[in-house]
Amino acid sequence: MEIMTDQRFRKTMKYLRAILIISLIGMALTVVMIGGILVYAKILGPPPLAVPQSTLFFADDGTVIGESHNGQKRYWAPLEDISPHLINATVSIEDKNFFEHNGFDYKRIAGAALADIKAMAKVQGASTISQQYARNLFLEHEKTWKRKILEAFYTIRLEMNYTKKEILEGYLNTIYYGNGAYGAQAASHFYFGKDAIDLTLAEAAILSGIPKGPGIYSPFASAEKANLRQKVILQTMVKNGMISQKEADQAVAEELKLVGEHLHPKTKTAPYFQDAVRNALKTQLKLDERTIELGGLKVYTTLNLKEQEIAEETVSKLMSRDSEIQVGFVAMNPKNGYVKAMVGGRNYEESPFNRAIQAVRQPGSTIKPLLYYAALEQGFTPSTPIRSEQTTFRFEEGTPDYTPHNFNSKYADDEITMAQALALSDNVYAVKTHLFLGEETLVNTAKKFGITSKMAKVPSLALGTSGVRVIELANAYSMFANGGKKVSPVMIKRVENHKGDVIYQQEPFQMKVLRTDLAFVMTHMMTGIFDPKLNGYARVTGSTVINDMTRPYAGKSGSTETDSWMAGFTPQLVTAVWTGYDKGQMITNTVEKTYAKNIWIRFMEEAHKGKPSKAFKAPEGTVGVYVDPANGKIAADNCPVKRLTYFTEGTEPTEYCTDHLSHEQEKKPEQSDKKPKTPWYKKLFQWAS
């Protein structure tokens, strides 16, 4: 008996030793496995915390004008910009030991398992905030073992690489609160119309209860269930020592005002401009489509809401709804190139094609200021005379003859000055000047003014037969307005990522490309289209809007059979307007031919209201002389019309006008028999017939 007992004892001990060895091996393997997981997690480093967020677009005053739309509202708010009430309520109901555990609440897991066993069903959750954040970031919400294992692994990585504050901030910015609102900021605005930092205790308790079941506990789904859930959360906060019972009771009694509207409903503000900004983000900043739409960017633009509204209302009021004629409009600050307003068409929903920056149309006579600037560089002055008469230009090497025509075939049949030629838009003067300078000159000058559209080296280029974009013309005229400095159209001032880091900042850039004196001389000549004193054989081209003007403007109109333009400026603002048909249909309606000028003057007048009236200031190196507009000579006492005209110092006229002297005054002994010399400019143009 004793022998058998001893044998049994030895067998039992052997069995126990085997179990112990197996247990030790199992424990060792578990330790190795856990260690391996931890090492692997450390090697992988911190997992990315980026989540899809709405990109916001701001006007120059900080007003949100639009956002990307992917069906979800997401706005990142730093933890310090979230109400402490919402933070405490969330921690209290979701994970009261959040700041003590390492990502897993083992006591809570055991309790949940016991509750599930008793109920023979899944009745209690044990996921910590860290686990839920890992699930929201990286996983689907499917109930599988694979998902649970991956969730645990990502939780370990989060806890190893991020602080509790960072994890809590991320969780509060990614949790779903129902009705398309992700994160505390979006939810606070949707439900209560306020920032997350301003939530009261009562509001915070309502919000923190929604994630458990957005379709059940949202106050818009069931006010009764939302209120019951609110009470549970408040009592949990009392139990956890976060608030007093009195505070809880006051919160329950508080009357809540629900809004039910997202922070930035889809807006129609400047849709063409917003498209242009998105394109600039891609082409200039080299951002990909996903980053632009889902990166949570904050894009601060140059748009002026008041001026944009004026532009849109002006177009809507002045252009007939029954007409299919289209419009392209750009307003810019000439000092820095900031685009203040943009209209790319009559109806964005029907046609998102942006005629302000995409359409290439013939500019007509609006190209002439660039031509005449080039002429000033070559020694022309506002008083340089050339004969205006119907002229046929004949060329060698098989180039066909060319006969430009003035509007209504009206010609001076006499000499006119450059100042007159610009104000009256004389085409013969322009073509003669263009051919004298050489066809290459205007092509190169256009490039100097920032025009990138291709220019054809042909005689008719002087009359604007090569297409340009509206934004290019506005930019070119900006160089006259700012005294000759190169600028480029700017629509984006600054871009921040979802963390608030500045990833792009517009740097001011100005480079002198025009002579300041000549830019001013040209600008002053461009005021002549609004000056009846320059009236000659035809009306000045700005005569139809003179009565609407309350301040000095410089500008130039232009027209072809299919295009109507008006571009002009003050020292503060440059605006270019094109109107025409998309398919190049001829503009035959008299009213439609006036749209561009009328839109331009109405906008400029409204946009300048309340601003000081600034004259164009003459720079050093220029001199003002009163001349007779008819001949460009110094005006004498007998001249019926005198106009102040500016010249580069040393090029001003020295000859007095004698056209209005009596016969006795004009006939002087020293002048009587002297044969006048032929001026250089007449010799140059004797070949034209």
Side-chain angles (χ1 to χ4, degrees):
M1 192 73 177
E2 291 179 2
I3 295 173
M4 289 187 65
T5 302
D6 186 53
Q7 288 177 343
R8 288 177 181 174
F9 177 76
R10 285 197 295 272
K11 286 182 179 180
T12 301
M13 292 301 294
K14 186 177 181 180
Y15 178 71
L16 290 173
R17 282 198 297 270
I19 292 175
L20 180 60
I21 291 171
I22 293 171
S23 298
L24 290 173
I25 292 173
M27 290 175 63
L29 289 173
T30 301
V31 170
V32 171
M33 183 177 69
I34 293 173
I37 291 172
L38 294 176
V39 170
Y40 182 55
K42 191 67 177 177
I43 292 173
L44 289 178
L49 302 183
V51 295
Q53 297 177 48
S54 299
T55 288
L56 299 179
F57 299 88
F58 298 84
D60 62 357
D61 64 351
T63 302
V64 174
I65 59 173
E67 69 174 311
S68 58
H69 291 279
N70 62 325
Q72 301 177 359
K73 297 285 183 176
R74 297 179 183 265
Y75 315 112
W76 195 275
L79 199 63
E80 54 268 23
D81 290 341
I82 298 175
S83 168
H85 295 310
L86 183 60
I87 295 172
N88 291 335
T90 300
V91 171
S92 183
I93 195 63
E94 296 292 341
D95 187 3
K96 67 178 181 179
N97 297 317
F98 171 71
F99 291 101
E100 281 74 46
H101 62 62
N102 61 359
F104 304 95
D105 191 336
Y106 301 107
K107 183 177 179 181
R108 188 177 174 191
I109 292 172
L114 184 61
D116 291 348
I117 292 171
K118 287 181 179 179
M120 298 302 291
K122 182 71 174 175
V123 296
Q124 188 172 319
S127 293
T128 62
I129 284 176
S130 301
Q131 288 174 278
Q132 293 182 59
Y133 186 32
R135 187 189 314 146
N136 292 337
L137 281 176
F138 311 112
L139 305 168
E140 300 295 333
H141 287 253
E142 57 191 9
K143 295 182 179 181
T144 63
W145 281 107
K146 180 182 178 181
R147 195 271 293 166
K148 290 181 180 294
I149 292 171
L150 287 174
E151 178 186 300
F153 182 66
Y154 277 115
T155 300
I156 292 171
R157 290 183 66 190
L158 285 174
E159 288 280 345
M160 288 180 68
N161 292 284
Y162 294 101
T163 66
K164 288 290 186 178
K165 177 184 176 182
E166 289 172 324
I167 294 172
L168 183 57
E169 179 179 301
Y171 174 79
L172 287 168
N173 277 287
T174 56
I175 197 68
Y176 184 51
Y177 287 93
N179 293 284
Y182 287 79
Q185 180 72 351
S188 297
H189 271 277
F190 177 77
Y191 289 101
F192 302 111
K194 59 174 64 175
D195 288 328
I197 189 65
D198 298 322
L199 290 172
T200 66
L201 175 59
E203 293 165 342
I206 286 287
L207 278 192
S208 60
I210 296 174
K212 180 178 176 65
I216 300 172
Y217 298 110
S218 164
F220 292 113
S222 172
E224 181 182 358
K225 291 180 179 179
N227 291 333
L228 288 174
R229 178 79 173 155
Q230 178 199 43
K231 292 177 182 177
V232 170
I233 291 170
L234 289 169
Q235 289 306 310
T236 303
M237 295 177 73
V238 173
K239 182 180 178 181
N240 293 328
M242 295 178 174
I243 59 172
S244 65
Q245 185 61 53
K246 181 180 179 181
E247 289 174 314
D249 293 339
Q250 290 174 341
V252 170
E254 182 179 325
E255 185 177 347
L256 301 181
K257 182 180 179 182
L258 297 173
V259 175
E261 183 176 307
H262 284 293
L263 175 58
H264 309 299
K266 190 171 183 179
T267 178
K268 303 294 183 183
T269 303
Y272 291 102
F273 178 82
Q274 289 193 44
D275 275 1
V277 169
R278 283 180 168 88
N279 185 62
L281 290 171
K282 286 189 287 186
T283 58
Q284 297 177 22
L285 277 64
K286 307 301 181 184
L287 299 178
D288 59 79
E289 193 74 37
R290 177 175 175 79
T291 301
I292 295 170
E293 295 300 320
L294 305 175
L297 305 177
K298 291 183 178 179
V299 183
Y300 296 89
T301 77
T302 60
L303 188 80
N304 182 284
L305 284 175
K306 178 184 176 183
E307 292 177 14
Q308 179 66 29
E309 182 180 356
I310 293 170
E312 292 178 356
E313 288 183 354
T314 301
V315 167
S316 178
K317 288 179 180 178
L318 294 184
M319 302 186 78
S320 171
R321 295 182 181 180
D322 298 327
S323 174
E324 294 182 0
I325 198 167
Q326 283 292 348
V327 63
F329 175 105
V330 172
M332 291 174 55
N333 182 335
K335 294 179 181 178
N336 51 26
Y338 284 6
V339 176
K340 311 306 291 182
M342 177 183 290
V343 179
R346 301 280 299 278
N347 189 313
Y348 179 82
E349 298 298 329
E350 292 180 1
S351 174
F353 178 70
N354 193 334
R355 296 155 188 85
I357 61 174
Q358 292 177 286
V360 179
R361 305 299 297 243
Q362 293 183 356
S365 293
T366 58
I367 201 71
K368 289 177 181 175
L370 278 62
L371 169 67
Y372 293 149
Y373 174 83
L376 291 176
E377 287 188 321
Q378 297 299 318
F380 281 60
T381 76
S383 289
T384 298
I386 294 176
R387 188 170 182 82
S388 171
E389 60 187 356
Q390 185 167 330
T391 305
T392 297
F393 296 89
R394 296 181 172 85
F395 307 92
E396 299 176 353
E397 300 177 358
T399 302
D401 295 347
Y402 176 56
T403 306
H405 296 282
N406 281 349
F407 180 70
N408 288 336
S409 295
K410 290 185 177 181
Y411 306 90
D413 291 323
D414 199 353
E415 290 181 342
I416 62 171
T417 66
M418 181 191 285
Q420 278 185 308
L422 181 66
L424 306 175
S425 205
D426 188 279
N427 289 336
V428 175
Y429 191 109
V431 175
K432 285 184 176 181
T433 302
H434 174 52
L435 293 176
F436 168 67
L437 297 176
E439 295 169 351
E440 185 81 25
T441 301
L442 181 53
V443 174
N444 293 334
T445 301
K447 291 179 182 177
K448 183 189 293 187
F449 276 85
I451 292 177
T452 59
S453 297
K454 189 176 181 180
M455 300 274 110
K457 300 174 188 177
V458 294
S460 62
L461 180 60
L463 309 184
T465 53
S466 286
V468 301
R469 296 173 175 83
V470 177
I471 198 166
E472 288 181 310
L473 190 66
N475 188 65
Y477 277 33
S478 291
M479 294 171 64
F480 289 129
N482 68 27
K485 300 182 184 70
K486 182 179 180 62
V487 292
S488 296
V490 175
M491 289 175 281
I492 302 171
K493 293 190 290 186
R494 186 174 81 256
V495 180
E496 297 176 0
N497 64 15
H498 72 283
K499 295 180 180 179
D501 300 326
V502 177
I503 62 173
Y504 171 78
Q505 181 76 48
Q506 167 65 26
E507 297 296 335
F509 171 79
Q510 287 187 339
M511 181 175 67
K512 197 72 134 179
V513 294
L514 306 182
R515 283 178 48 180
T516 303
D517 56 340
L518 297 185
F520 175 76
V521 169
M522 193 66 243
T523 293
H524 196 263
M525 274 200 286
M526 293 171 74
T527 66
I529 77 163
F530 308 112
D531 189 349
K533 292 179 182 179
L534 285 171
N535 196 3
Y537 61 93
R539 291 194 305 170
V540 290
T541 55
S543 60
T544 58
V545 299
I546 290 175
N547 292 334
D548 297 320
M549 294 170 49
T550 61
R551 64 184 63 224
Y553 294 106
K556 186 71 187 78
S557 60
S559 62
T560 69
E561 291 183 338
T562 58
D563 305 277
S564 181
W565 291 77
M566 181 63 209
F569 53 91
T570 63
Q572 304 108 306
L573 189 65
V574 176
T575 300
V577 184
W578 165 86
T579 56
Y581 290 92
D582 281 335
K583 297 182 180 180
Q585 176 183 334
M586 290 181 62
I587 304 174
T588 57
N589 185 293
T590 304
V591 175
E592 290 181 349
K593 291 180 179 180
T594 66
Y595 281 155
K597 287 181 184 177
N598 289 335
I599 290 170
W600 181 85
I601 190 62
R602 296 282 183 88
F603 170 80
M604 292 294 276
E605 284 292 311
E606 288 296 320
H608 283 86
K609 275 188 176 178
K611 296 179 181 179
S613 178
K614 292 187 177 181
F616 298 105
K617 187 177 179 180
E620 291 184 9
T622 60
V623 59
V625 179
Y626 280 96
V627 302
D628 184 329
N631 53 36
K633 298 176 182 178
I634 299 174
D637 293 339
N638 301 77
C639 291
V641 178
K642 302 175 184 179
R643 187 179 195 269
L644 180 63
T645 304
Y646 281 88
F647 300 81
T648 295
E649 194 170 6
T651 67
E652 65 271 20
T654 57
E655 185 178 355
Y656 280 84
C657 173
T658 59
D659 293 352
H660 309 97
L661 298 177
S662 65
H663 181 72
E664 290 75 16
Q665 291 173 313
E666 187 175 4
K667 186 77 171 176
K668 292 187 178 180
E670 63 271 17
Q671 295 177 330
S672 57
D673 299 317
K674 196 171 182 178
K675 187 176 180 181
K677 293 181 179 180
T678 303
W680 64 270
Y681 50 82
K682 289 188 178 181
K683 293 178 181 179
L684 289 170
F685 292 106
Q686 285 177 351
W687 53 268
S689 60

